[in-house]
Amino acid sequence: MDETAEGTLTARCREAFGDELRLAFWYSTTGGKIDWGVLHFREDVREAWGDADEARTKAAQVINDMSLDRPGDAHYERVHSAGDLLCTTRVFEEAIAMHVGAGDHGLIVSYDPMAEVDQYGFVTDAHELLTGADRAAQP
């Protein structure tokens, strides 16, 4: 992902979630390998994720797990008959995790449950940015 798109996603995450943003990272599976970059890591979450190698392992697990319900999955779109699937959300006791995807690019965001967020506005903005990044990565 280029620096401009990364900067725009970072700013949009901070604007949408404020201090309740726990972590945010983008990923790309272009060419069969996972590439990813951290947009935001709140200090308490960073401590829980450990050193860089441990964080890389956990990030890969999160990407793999969240991708099981991959946005753009035709099965979900057929079942729900409500248009394209842009995002999946998982709610935990201490965090909410969102996965926004477009093609081979995705964004995973975790935030505190008490955050008041315009989820649809955030998701559509993020999806548009990821779609642009996905198009730019295509040969």
Side-chain angles (χ1 to χ4, degrees):
M1 177 173 295
D2 70 34
E3 288 181 27
T4 301
E6 191 171 312
T8 303
L9 272 176
T10 301
R12 186 63 180 102
C13 287
R14 289 184 178 146
E15 173 190 328
F17 302 102
D19 291 340
E20 284 82 25
L21 181 62
R22 296 168 48 87
L23 68 86
F25 58 89
W26 63 268
Y27 72 88
S28 171
T29 58
T30 306
K33 69 176 187 109
I34 294 177
D35 186 25
W36 63 282
V38 174
L39 301 174
H40 177 83
F41 242 133
R42 197 170 69 193
E43 191 59 37
D44 61 322
V45 176
R46 182 186 312 268
E47 289 171 7
W49 277 50
D51 64 24
D53 288 335
E54 187 177 356
R56 189 175 318 283
T57 299
K58 285 184 180 180
Q61 291 170 347
V62 169
I63 291 167
N64 186 49
D65 181 55
M66 295 294 285
S67 295
L68 296 176
D69 294 327
R70 188 177 189 107
D73 186 325
H75 166 73
Y76 290 105
E77 293 167 0
R78 280 192 308 275
V79 169
H80 294 279
S81 299
D84 294 340
L85 178 63
L86 305 179
C87 172
T88 59
T89 303
R90 295 187 180 171
V91 179
F92 301 92
E93 287 179 54
E94 298 177 14
I96 296 173
M98 293 175 58
H99 176 212
V100 183
D104 290 335
H105 287 76
L107 171 68
I108 295 175
V109 176
S110 175
Y111 59 97
D112 294 332
M114 75 286 277
E116 293 185 25
V117 178
D118 171 12
Q119 289 182 341
Y120 187 77
F122 174 78
V123 168
T124 55
D125 288 351
H127 187 266
E128 185 177 315
L129 288 163
L130 293 168
T131 298
D134 197 59
R135 284 189 192 125
Q138 301 304 318

